[in-house]
Amino acid sequence: MDICKIPENASKCSGSTMECFMVLSTQAQKISIATLCGLFGTLCVFENSLVLYLIFSSPGTRKKPSYIFISSLALADILASIIFVCSFVNFHVFNGTGFSKEVFLLQLGGVNTSFSASLSSLLLTALDRYISIARPSEYKLLMTRRRAWTALGVLWLSCATVAALPLLGWNCCTLDSRCSELFPFVDDNYLSGWVCLTLVLLGCIVCAYAHVLCRARQHVAYMEQHQAQGARQNTRMRMDVMLAKTLVMVLAVLVLCWSPVLALMIYSIFSRLSDALRKVFAFCSTLCLLNSMVNPIIYALRSKELSSSLRRLLAQFRRQLKAPEESPEAESTHRSSVVET
């Protein structure tokens, strides 16, 4: 079978060239992608929606900057899952090409905005944990709710601006430049810049968590030496250390899920990709959904506040299920007593 050549200039940028990016050639591959996207996407939306509900339904969590940043991460994962699954399955499984270049770039911008906001939310959470552990006495003064919401506003606006650049004109069709081999209409220089920005974000997150772990180990040693003194302060330190370790687990999953995708993006910038590698990239893209799906599970297992809220919600749900089961019995008992009377 002939390999579909990817266009390198704007004169070849047309709707027909989008077929070159549909790399799934067999029905089994399409079913596999649709199954993975449907499973990961559905679980991701459900789990992150549950995290948002647990955070904002409790006055103790919705006022804390730490959980404000986590709610931003959950919201970004929900948006990324919905936009990614709808556009990815429509393009690769149903071979949907009945939309213009602007519509495609708008969908791609939505995915980029959401995933970039997810990474940036992790960075803000890392900085929040570092301040909480490194300067606990000044934490409430340095990290207020107003500053947290302001930081999130700047974060989302910046991510949306960077993601909208191809739609605003930085694409290979408008600039008559070399097109990416992985994304239709995307300029190779823009893809290089986005990859560099992502790597910088990951590097900053790794550095921040390295300092958090260092401080956490110091606090663990301090607590072991002063177990009998300052019980309340030690409890607060244990909570900070627990949350720090939780976010390190989130970071580890993030790196494992994003490494294959970023590696193939970097490789595509310097060398041409075969059909086999582009198929691998399509399947590796679903790992981003897996990352968004695993994060809420880590929160529920590691965060005492969220896990206790989840237990209360499940207990309330069980009581509501038992109530309808008990009411027919009570009604039948009442009816039998009336008949006997």
Side-chain angles (χ1 to χ4, degrees), residues 83 87-88 90 99 102-112:
I83 302 174
S87 59
F88 195 79
N90 179 60
F99 43 81
E102 289 74 19
V103 174
F104 178 84
L105 293 178
L106 180 62
Q107 294 176 350
L108 183 63
V111 175
N112 287 345

Side-chain angles (χ1 to χ4, degrees), residues 227-240:
Q227 288 182 353
Q229 301 178 2
R232 184 175 180 181
Q233 183 179 5
N234 288 343
T235 302
R236 173 60 185 274
M237 288 183 178
R238 289 190 184 96
M239 292 176 61
D240 290 338

Side-chain angles (χ1 to χ4, degrees), residues 112-142:
N112 287 345
T113 299
S114 303
F115 280 128
S116 299
S118 179
L119 290 176
S120 302
S121 298
L122 273 177
L123 177 58
L124 288 181
T125 309
L127 296 176
D128 172 78
R129 286 300 87 203
Y130 176 76
I131 296 174
S132 176
I133 292 180
R135 306 173 69 175
S137 60
E138 304 176 14
Y139 174 76
K140 291 186 178 180
L141 295 176
L142 295 175

Side-chain angles (χ1 to χ4, degrees), residues 251-272:
L251 176 63
V253 173
L254 175 75
V255 173
L256 290 176
C257 292
W258 275 85
S259 294
V261 173
L262 291 176
L264 288 174
M265 285 184 182
I266 295 173
Y267 183 79
S268 70
I269 296 173
F270 298 100
S271 178
R272 295 192 64 84

Side-chain angles (χ1 to χ4, degrees), residues 7 13 21 101 104-105 108 112 166 170-173 177-192:
C13 284
F21 295 87
K101 176 190 70 175
F104 178 84
L105 293 178
L108 183 63
N112 287 345
W170 192 355
N171 58 76
C172 58
C173 297
S177 57
R178 185 175 184 271
C179 296
S180 169
E181 297 185 27
L182 296 175
F183 305 100
F185 312 121
V186 174
D187 180 68
D188 245 2
N189 292 326
Y190 173 81
L191 181 62
S192 303

